[in-house]
C-alpha cells in the first residue's frame, strides 16, 4: 500500500496542471485542457480516434504541456463523457465548431481523428498539422503543407498504404510500433514534439510511465495479498480437454448463426460492440445449457459472492479509476450505467461455464493452455461472424488482439479470486462485473 500511495503522489507531481470543461458546441463537447506554464503558449487541439476518448490522449497531451504547448483534448460524440450517440457526420460538425471556438495554432489527430482533420483541412487552416496513423479518407486536391504524417511498422495495412501519399506532407514510419504507439512511446512522442518546435529535453514521459507501471504492480500485489489461496475443493467433472474445446466450438457456432438473423442485444447500442456483447450472451446460454444437461450447474455461496463483488470493486477502483484512468476512460457517465449492468449480466453465463469447467481440467499449466485455446476460439468465431455474416460490425476485427490480451489477463485475475472464494458462481460474477464495467466505459455509444 505504501508503494501504491507513493506512485500516486509521484504521478500526480509529474502531471501538468489540467482543467476539465465542456465546449458550447451543439451537442456539447467535453474536454481536458493542459497548461504548460509558458507565456503565449501555442494552442494545440488533440482529436482521438474511433472507440477512444480524450483520456486515451493524456500521456501524449502531458508531453505537449511539458514541451511548452497548451493542449485541448476533446471527446467526440459517443466517446468518453459525451452524452450523445456517435455518427461521423455529427463528429465532423462538432469538430468544426470546436476549431472555431478554440482557434488552435496546431491540430493533432489520431486514426479517425486524423481523418476528420483531413476533411476539415479543406476549409480550415492550421499553422501545423500532425496526422497520427490516419484512416483512409478523401483528399481531393488538398496540399498538406506544414504537415507531419506518422504510421507504424505493424499499423493497419490501409493506414500504411494511405499515409505516404498525402501530397506535400512529411511522412515518418516508426519502427516497432502498432496503431496507437505514438501516443505512448517516449521516443515517438519526442520526435513529434521536436517536429512541432517544442523542447524535447523537458519531456517527462518516461518517468510518468515508470511510476504508472509501479502503481499497477503495487495495486496488483496488494490484491493478491488480500486474497490468500485456500485449499481447493476436490471434484470430478465429466469433461475432458477435447470436450471443453468442442463445447466452445458449438457455442461459438451457435452464436454466429443466431446473430446472422438477429443481434439479440442490439439495444445496448455500442458501435460494432453490441455484436460482441450479444455473442458472449448467446454462446454463454448454450454453454450453461450444456452444464445443465450434464447436471453440473453449480450453486452460489453468499459469502463468496460478497467477496467476489468486493474484489471486482477493488479492480475497478484501484486498477481502473485510479491507475487506468491515466490511459483510458474508466468512468461511467450518463447512459453507461445501465449498459454496465446489461453487459455484466450478458457475460455471466459464459464465465460461469468457464469457472465451473476449465479450472478443473488438470494441472495448472494445462488449465492455462485450455484458457488460451478457448479465448482463441471465441476470437475466431467472432471474426468469422463479423467478416462473413455481419460486416457492419467488422470494426471488431481491428481490436481482437487487444481483446485476447484482456480476456487472458481477466482469466488470470479471476483465477486469483477463484482460488480464494472456491465457488465458480462467485468467480464468474467477478469476471462478468469487471468485463461489464470495462466495456461500458470504453466503447462508443450510438
Amino acid at each position: 500500500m505504501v508503494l501504491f500511495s507513493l506512485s500516486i503522489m509521484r504521478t500526480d507531481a509529474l502531471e501538468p496542471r489540467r482543467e476539465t470543461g465542456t465546449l458550447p458546441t451543439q451537442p456539447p463537447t467535453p474536454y481536458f485542457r493542459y497548461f504548460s506554464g509558458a507565456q503565449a503558449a501555442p494552442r494545440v487541439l488533440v482529436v482521438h480516434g474511433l472507440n477512444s476518448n480524450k483520456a486515451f490522449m493524456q500521456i501524449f497531451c502531458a508531453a505537449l504541456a511539458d514541451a511548452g504547448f497548451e493542449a485541448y483534448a476533446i471527446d467526440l460524440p459517443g466517446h468518453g463523457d459525451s452524452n450523445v450517440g456517435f455518427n461521423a457526420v455529427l463528429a465532423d460538425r462538432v469538430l468544426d465548431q470546436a476549431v472555431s471556438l478554440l482557434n488552435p495554432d496546431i491540430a493533432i489527430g489520431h486514426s479517425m481523428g486524423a481523418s476528420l482533420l483531413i476533411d476539415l483541412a479543406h476549409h480550415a487552416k492550421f499553422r501545423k498539422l500532425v496526422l497520427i496513423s490516419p484512416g483512409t479518407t478523401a483528399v481531393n486536391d488538398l496540399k498538406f503543407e506544414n504537415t507531419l504524417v506518422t504510421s507504424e511498422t505493424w499499423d493497419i495495412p490501409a493506414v500504411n498504404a494511405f499515409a505516404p501519399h498525402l501530397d506535400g506532407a512529411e511522412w515518418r514510419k516508426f519502427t516497432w510500433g502498432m496503431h496507437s504507439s505514438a501516443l505512448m512511446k517516449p521516443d515517438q512522442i519526442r520526435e513529434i514534439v521536436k517536429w512541432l518546435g517544442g523542447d524535447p529535453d523537458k519531456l517527462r514521459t518516461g518517468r510518468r510511465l515508470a511510476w504508472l507501471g509501479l502503481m499497477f504492480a503495487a495495486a496488483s500485489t496488494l490484491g493478491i495479498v488480500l486474497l490468500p489461496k485456500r485449499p481447493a475443493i476436490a471434484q470430478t467433472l465429466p469433461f475432458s480437454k477435447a470436450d471443453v474445446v468442442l463445447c466452445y466450438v458449438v457455442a461459438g457456432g451457435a452464436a454466429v448463426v443466431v446473430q446472422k438473423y438477429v443481434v439479440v442485444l442490439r439495444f445496448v447500442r455500442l458501435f460494432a460492440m453490441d455484436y460482441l456483447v450479444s455473442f458472449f450472451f448467446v454462446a454463454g446460454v448454450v454453454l450453461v445449457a450444456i452444464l445443465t444437461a450434464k447436471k453440473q450447474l453449480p450453486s452460489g455461496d453468499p459469502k463468496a459472492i460478497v467477496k467476489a463483488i468486493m474484489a471486482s470493486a477493488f479492480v475497478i477502483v484501484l486498477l481502473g479509476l485510479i491507475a487506468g484512468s491515466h490511459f483510458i476512460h474508466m468512468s461511467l457517465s450518463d447512459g453507461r450505467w445501465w449498459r454496465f449492468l446489461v453487459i455484466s449480466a450478458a457475460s455471466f453465463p459464459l464465465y460461469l461455464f468457464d469457472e465451473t469447467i476449465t479450472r478443473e481440467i488438470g494441472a495448472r499449466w494445462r488449465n492455462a493452455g485450455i484458457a488460451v485455446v478457448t479465448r482463441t476460439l471465441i476470437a475466431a468465431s467472432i471474426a468469422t461472424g463479423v467478416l462473413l455474416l455481419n460486416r457492419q460490425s467488422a470494426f471488431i476485427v481491428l481490436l481482437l488482439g487487444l481483446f485476447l490480451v484482456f480476456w487472458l489477463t481477466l482469466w488470470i485475475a479471476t483465477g486469483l479470486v477463484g482460488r480464494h472464494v472456491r465457488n465458480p458462481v462467485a468467480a464468474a460474477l467477478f469476471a462478468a462485473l469487471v468485463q461489464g464495467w470495462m466495456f461500458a466505459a470504453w466503447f462508443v455509444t450510438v
Side-chain angles (χ1 to χ4, degrees):
M1 193 64 188
V2 173
L3 282 177
F4 184 73
S5 300
L6 176 62
S7 61
I8 291 175
M9 290 187 292
R10 292 303 304 152
T11 299
D12 289 343
L14 288 168
E15 291 299 310
R17 186 163 66 91
R18 189 186 81 182
E19 71 174 17
T20 302
T22 303
L23 296 175
T25 56
Q26 296 299 324
T29 299
Y31 69 82
F32 287 150
R33 180 186 182 189
Y34 298 81
F35 298 88
S36 71
Q39 294 294 324
R43 179 172 291 179
V44 183
L45 174 63
V46 180
V47 189
H48 62 76
L50 185 62
N51 255 322
S52 184
N53 45 71
K54 64 183 185 301
F56 190 63
M57 315 301 285
Q58 288 182 101
I59 297 295
F60 187 81
C61 287
L64 291 175
D66 289 344
F69 299 97
E70 174 193 26
Y72 278 83
I74 63 172
D75 275 333
L76 294 171
H79 298 71
D81 291 315
S82 174
N83 290 326
V84 298
F86 170 78
N87 71 64
V89 174
L90 182 61
D92 187 71
R93 186 167 72 240
V94 165
L95 181 57
D96 194 1
Q97 295 175 50
V99 168
S100 297
L101 288 169
L102 296 174
N103 192 28
D105 303 290
I106 300 166
I108 300 175
H110 172 240
S111 193
M112 180 192 71
S115 299
L116 291 172
L117 286 175
I118 291 174
D119 292 338
L120 192 61
H122 285 85
H123 64 269
K125 298 300 179 184
F126 305 101
R127 185 162 60 84
K128 289 188 176 182
L129 181 64
V130 179
L131 306 172
I132 300 172
S133 296
T136 305
T137 191
V139 175
N140 302 320
D141 58 352
L142 189 62
K143 302 295 183 183
F144 291 90
E145 299 176 353
N146 300 313
T147 300
L148 174 66
V149 183
T150 74
S151 62
E152 308 283 345
T153 302
W154 295 303
D155 215 323
I156 298 169
V159 169
N160 275 324
F162 175 67
H165 302 293
L166 298 181
D167 189 17
E170 179 180 345
W171 174 49
R172 294 186 188 177
K173 187 174 183 180
F174 293 126
T175 57
W176 303 104
M178 301 180 71
H179 189 57
S180 301
S181 295
L183 305 177
M184 298 285 180
K185 292 187 70 175
D187 59 329
Q188 295 188 16
I189 292 174
R190 184 182 182 86
E191 285 296 308
I192 294 172
V193 163
K194 187 176 179 180
W195 184 88
L196 288 172
D199 187 349
D201 293 332
K202 292 183 178 180
L203 298 185
R204 299 179 289 178
T205 308
R207 279 180 283 170
R208 287 191 184 97
L209 291 173
W211 284 109
L212 284 170
L214 179 60
M215 192 187 305
F216 276 102
S220 301
T221 302
L222 178 60
I224 294 171
V225 170
L226 292 175
L227 287 173
K229 183 178 179 180
R230 299 166 66 194
I233 299 175
Q235 55 180 320
T236 302
L237 297 173
F239 286 86
S240 65
K241 294 187 291 294
D243 291 335
V244 172
V245 170
L246 180 61
C247 286
Y248 273 89
V249 170
V250 170
V256 168
V257 171
V258 168
Q259 298 206 117
K260 173 182 176 5
Y261 301 100
V262 56
V263 178
V264 294
L265 296 180
R266 180 72 77 189
F267 68 89
V268 176
R269 297 188 64 79
L270 296 173
F271 179 77
M273 301 306 164
D274 45 16
Y275 180 94
L276 186 149
V277 175
S278 299
F279 180 95
F280 253 75
F281 176 68
V282 175
V285 168
V286 173
L287 291 171
V288 167
I290 293 172
L291 275 182
T292 303
K294 291 283 190 177
K295 297 182 180 180
Q296 294 295 321
L297 196 64
S299 58
D301 172 35
K303 288 185 178 180
I305 288 173
V306 170
K307 287 183 178 180
I309 293 173
M310 293 175 64
S312 65
F314 177 93
V315 170
I316 290 167
V317 174
L318 267 70
L319 289 173
L321 294 173
I322 296 178
S325 62
H326 291 273
F327 295 99
I328 193 68
H329 185 270
M330 290 299 303
S331 61
L332 301 183
S333 54
D334 293 344
R336 295 184 181 269
W337 279 99
W338 69 266
R339 289 180 170 89
F340 158 57
L341 298 175
V342 170
I343 296 169
S344 297
S347 304
F348 178 75
L350 189 149
Y351 284 126
L352 180 61
F353 180 91
D354 209 41
E355 293 306 311
T356 303
I357 302 301
T358 63
R359 299 286 179 185
E360 305 295 337
I361 291 298
R364 185 175 299 176
W365 66 269
R366 290 179 180 173
N367 294 345
I370 285 293
V372 172
V373 171
T374 53
R375 269 68 185 165
T376 303
L377 286 172
I378 291 172
S381 298
I382 292 170
T384 300
V386 299
L387 291 177
L388 298 181
L389 305 176
N390 296 77
R391 294 297 296 272
Q392 70 275 16
S393 299
F395 179 78
I396 294 175
V397 175
L398 299 179
L399 302 179
L400 277 179
L402 293 176
F403 287 140
L404 273 173
V405 172
F406 171 76
W407 288 328
L408 289 171
T409 302
L410 183 58
W411 185 85
I412 294 170
T414 305
L416 296 173
V417 174
R419 74 180 190 178
H420 178 78
V421 299
R422 298 187 306 179
N423 181 264
V425 175
L429 180 60
F430 165 83
L433 288 172
V434 172
Q435 175 160 296
W437 187 284
M438 301 303 181
F439 283 14
W442 292 345
F443 294 150
V444 180
T445 60
V446 295

